Amino acid sequence: MTKIKERKKTLTILPIYGYGQPVLKKVASDIPDSYPGLEELIEAMWNTMKNARGVGLAAPQIGKSIRLFLVDSTPLYEQEEEERALRKVFINARILSQEGEPWAYEEGCLSIPQLTGDVLRPPRIRIRYLDEDFQQHEETYEGLEARIIQHEYDHIEGRLFVDLLKPIKKRMIKRKLENIRKGKVKVDYPMRFAMK
């Protein structure tokens, strides 16, 4: 009788790149369907996002300048409403349209810990993207899901939510941003800072 060893699946948690890292300011490149290790990368990104208690994570935030981001709005819903949540992979996404009167909402970012600010965004978007099987979709999203998607989409376009803040708020947070750049911030998830 032979013993079959069960292979334990390791939970890969990647470091999140902090404010000041050059990769966060680059426009990301499209991903070919032959991209090596994509399935493992996506799994590691889900683990990383969950570990940091985020609702979205884009590839530039883990140091890869590719057009890939994940969204999981589950934490924004009560337990009995979780089936309404959006949990999806977006590859090579392009926002086709943004509609409606922009509304303010306080946003934060795993790459800019302990900082939040009111960002104006349109309430409705139409987006074309590929899923993890490289099947194309074109869908409309509204409300918080549209906001999360726009926030993550900004990452693959080389923009951060702090770039969209009003000038007075930008001046107020300048020192805090510099501290994040230098790694002078406490976080409970792995991070890679621009300067140490």
Side-chain angles (χ1 to χ4, degrees):
M1 195 165 126
T2 57
K3 236 183 181 181
I4 299 170
K5 279 190 179 178
E6 271 189 43
R7 209 176 88 214
K8 280 192 177 179
K9 212 174 196 180
T10 55
L11 219 70
T12 305
I13 307 288
L14 304 167
I16 293 173
Y17 280 50
Y19 178 84
Q21 289 278 12
V23 70
L24 296 175
K25 298 304 281 182
K26 286 182 184 168
V27 176
S29 303
D30 278 345
I31 306 172
D33 58 5
S34 59
Y35 190 86
L38 184 60
E39 190 178 326
E40 293 79 10
L41 175 63
I42 289 170
E43 185 183 334
M45 285 178 67
W46 282 122
N47 295 338
T48 300
M49 183 176 70
K50 187 175 182 181
N51 179 65
R53 293 182 301 284
V55 293
L57 185 67
Q61 292 181 274
I62 48 112
K64 300 205 175 291
S65 190
I66 55 175
R67 296 185 78 83
L68 164 65
F69 63 86
L70 317 175
V71 169
D72 183 1
S73 65
T74 308
L76 303 176
Y77 289 93
E78 298 293 330
Q79 198 169 358
E80 60 274 4
E81 294 183 309
E82 282 182 358
E83 72 279 349
R84 289 179 47 207
L86 176 66
R87 189 174 196 279
K88 208 167 258 200
V89 174
F90 293 80
I91 296 172
N92 299 342
R94 297 288 188 281
I95 288 181
L96 305 174
S97 65
Q98 297 172 298
E99 300 169 351
E101 186 67 34
W103 60 295
Y105 189 84
E106 189 175 44
E107 293 187 19
C109 181
L110 297 176
S111 292
I112 311 173
Q114 299 171 10
L115 259 181
T116 60
D118 283 342
V119 177
L120 284 168
R121 295 193 191 273
R124 189 169 39 265
I125 62 163
R126 184 134 192 95
I127 189 167
R128 180 184 300 134
Y129 68 96
L130 303 173
D131 62 24
E132 56 267 53
D133 297 317
F134 278 77
Q135 298 301 305
Q136 186 171 290
H137 303 269
E138 196 173 300
E139 296 167 346
T140 299
Y141 292 97
E142 296 186 11
L144 284 175
E145 277 78 16
R147 177 169 294 273
I148 299 166
I149 291 168
Q150 288 173 86
H151 178 108
E152 299 310 322
Y153 184 83
D154 278 353
H155 276 299
I156 63 173
E157 290 292 320
R159 283 187 302 265
L160 300 169
F161 87 91
V162 291
D163 300 332
L164 306 176
L165 298 176
K166 292 183 177 171
I168 190 164
K169 176 70 173 179
K170 282 186 189 176
R171 286 196 295 277
M172 289 169 59
I173 64 171
K174 198 173 178 182
R175 180 175 287 152
K176 288 182 179 178
L177 287 173
E178 194 53 34
N179 284 339
I180 294 169
R181 183 193 308 273
K182 293 176 180 175
K184 294 180 179 178
V185 63
K186 286 191 188 292
V187 288
D188 58 1
Y189 50 86
M191 284 197 77
R192 186 166 288 160
F193 299 101
M195 298 158 46
K196 253 314 197 176

